[in-house]
Structures are given as structure tokens and as C-alpha cells.
Amino acid sequence: MADNTERTFIMVKPDGVERGLIPEIMKRFQRKGYKLVASKFMKSDLAHIQEHYVDLKEKKFYPGLCKYMSEGPVFPMVWEGQDVVRQGRILLGETDPLKSKPGTIRGDFCICIGRNICHGSDSVDSAKKEISHWFKKTELVDWGPTENTWIYE
Ligand code: DAT
Ligand code: MG
């Protein structure tokens, strides 16, 4: 049986927030059929962002990336559904917006790799780590939208 309870961590970055793209990005996941499990509007401190991107700490863009991510509000979310980690990456497009196809979030709304408006987990394991880094267990809402009976067979 396919796992309809897979979860991914998606976060609108400060540039996406400033540009009013929270609803547009949420819409892409919602209309595909995925279920929102958690979201919040917040400003993160530098240490929290540095930990989120710790795997990239040797990259030369790491300090600038962490600085920009901590200078404005972000909108972290958890979305749930079958294959949502991989599909989330497809909805996002490539890391470099100039290599992203039209129709994807990054392909439609941004130009620069360092201002690519939205984060998405790259594996089920990193999704688990990122979800627990950004959300308390009590913030993850256990619910079953009735429309799920029309999304899964
Ligand atoms: P992704 O966000 O697609 O998972 P990543 O994990 O490799 O990409 O990098 C995290 C973020 O760091 C990415 O969304 C934008 C930034 N970044 C990646 N490569 C970069 C580069 N060469 N120059 C500037 N910023 C970069
Ligand atoms: Mg990544």
C-alpha cells in the first residue's frame, strides 16, 4: 500500500514572503491534493538557520545564505501525502531558477539562485530532521480532510 502519510518540510523564504508569494506557494501544494499539517509565520534567528543549513557550512555562499534567511520573516510549513517529498521538489523546480521549467514555483517566480523564494526537503530523512527542527510535536495537526476520499483511491 502506498504511504499517504509521508511528510515534507516546505518554507517560504524571506524574499518569497516580502514578495507576497505565501498564498501562491501554498496553493500549489493544496491543489495537487496534499494536506497541510502545520504552518507558522515567524522570524528565525541566525543560529537556527545555521543549523538548518549545517550540511552546507563549507560552501562559500553559506554565510550570505544564513544572513538573508535570518533577516526577514519566513513561513515554514509541513505538507503530507503520497510521495510528497519528491513531488515537492518537482513543484519547486531546480535550485537554480534559471534552470527551472515554467510551471514550477522557482521557474515562475524568481531569477537568482540566492533568492529562490522557497525551501523544500530533499529526502524523507532530511524532512524528518527539518520538521523537528522547526516545529514542536504539538504544532503538527492530526486531521483528515474529507476531500482525501476523493484524492486517493
Ligand atoms: P535546494 O534549496 O534546492 O535544496 P541546496 O540545498 O543545494 O538547494 O542549497 C540551499 C540553498 O542555498 C539554495 O536554495 C540556494 C542556496 N544556494 C545553493 N547553491 C548556491 C550557489 N551556488 N550560490 C548561491 N546560493 C546557493
Ligand atoms: Mg537543500
Side-chain angles (χ1 to χ4, degrees):
M1 238 315 250
D3 179 11
N4 299 347
T5 65
E6 185 175 302
R7 288 178 174 179
T8 194
F9 176 73
I10 302 294
M11 178 163 62
V12 185
K13 298 180 179 183
D15 45 340
V17 172
E18 291 279 352
R19 295 177 57 206
L21 292 171
I22 294 172
E24 179 63 45
I25 291 168
M26 293 188 85
K27 187 177 83 181
R28 306 266 173 140
F29 285 83
Q30 186 90 59
R31 71 183 185 186
K32 173 83 176 166
Y34 290 128
K35 176 176 106 173
L36 184 66
V37 170
S39 69
K40 56 186 169 187
F41 186 62
M42 60 177 282
K43 198 150 177 274
S44 175
D45 62 36
L46 185 61
H48 192 77
I49 291 287
Q50 284 169 334
E51 180 58 29
H52 171 78
Y53 280 127
V54 70
D55 293 348
L56 299 173
K57 70 173 186 298
E58 304 305 332
K59 304 278 185 191
K60 73 173 189 309
F61 59 82
Y62 177 75
L65 170 67
C66 294
K67 182 168 182 284
Y68 123 82
M69 288 292 295
S70 63
E71 281 182 341
V74 291
F75 193 74
M77 298 171 269
V78 177
W79 288 90
E80 182 181 287
Q82 190 176 316
D83 201 32
V84 70
V85 172
R86 198 171 68 87
Q87 296 300 320
R89 297 287 294 191
I90 293 169
L91 291 173
L92 275 183
E94 301 294 319
T95 303
D96 182 351
L98 295 183
K99 296 187 179 133
S100 300
K101 294 212 167 63
T104 64
I105 291 165
R106 289 167 173 169
D108 284 351
F109 298 111
C110 52
I111 296 169
C112 292
I113 195 166
R115 295 291 182 273
N116 64 4
I117 70 168
C118 192
H119 168 83
S121 305
D122 63 8
S123 69
V124 172
D125 270 359
S126 57
K128 284 185 182 144
K129 254 189 249 160
E130 290 170 358
I131 290 167
S132 64
H133 184 60
W134 287 90
F135 288 99
K136 299 187 201 102
K137 270 212 167 85
T138 51
E139 292 176 306
L140 305 174
V141 180
D142 183 17
W143 68 300
T146 51
E147 68 166 20
N148 266 6
T149 56
W150 295 101
I151 289 168
Y152 296 106
E153 55 177 0

